[in-house]
């Protein structure tokens, strides 16, 4: 229905490989993704979004309009 339920980034993949030494062909996105990610509303300021990303130590953040995914913000 357009709601953000997770995000997968290179950090999620690297963490998995560090723990398991590889990614098997049956590993799913759902197993690797960060669930309930921090999101930003499209009307938020860029400075507040960047501040949230720096505080949370992540580089990618879903952008939403009324809780529906519309894009991604990346450092």
């Amino acid at each position: 229905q357009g709601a953000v339920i997770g995000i997968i980034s290179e950090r999620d993949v690297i963490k998995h490989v560090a723990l398991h030494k590889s990614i098997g062909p049956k590993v799913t996105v759902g197993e690797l993704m960060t669930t309930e990610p921090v999101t930003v509303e499209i009307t938020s300021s860029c400075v507040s979004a960047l501040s949230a990303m720096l505080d949370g130590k992540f580089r990618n953040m879903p952008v939403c309009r009324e809780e529906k995914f519309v894009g991604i913000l990346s450092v």
Side-chain angles (χ1 to χ4, degrees), residues 8 12-14 16-17 20-28 32:
I8 186 168
D12 298 306
V13 174
I14 290 167
H16 181 86
V17 170
H20 303 283
K21 306 300 180 214
S22 68
I23 294 181
K26 295 187 179 189
V27 174
T28 66
L32 298 184

Side-chain angles (χ1 to χ4, degrees), residues 34-54:
T34 299
T35 57
E36 300 181 29
V38 175
T39 63
V40 63
E41 273 292 318
I42 199 165
T43 56
S44 297
S45 77
C46 290
V47 171
S48 66
L50 180 58
S51 178
M53 293 168 76
L54 293 173

Side-chain angles (χ1 to χ4, degrees), residues 42-68:
I42 199 165
T43 56
S44 297
S45 77
C46 290
V47 171
S48 66
L50 180 58
S51 178
M53 293 168 76
L54 293 173
D55 290 346
K57 297 183 172 122
F58 51 89
R59 297 176 42 198
N60 302 292
M61 183 164 45
V63 179
C64 298
R65 178 183 292 129
E66 298 175 6
E67 298 183 19
K68 296 204 188 276

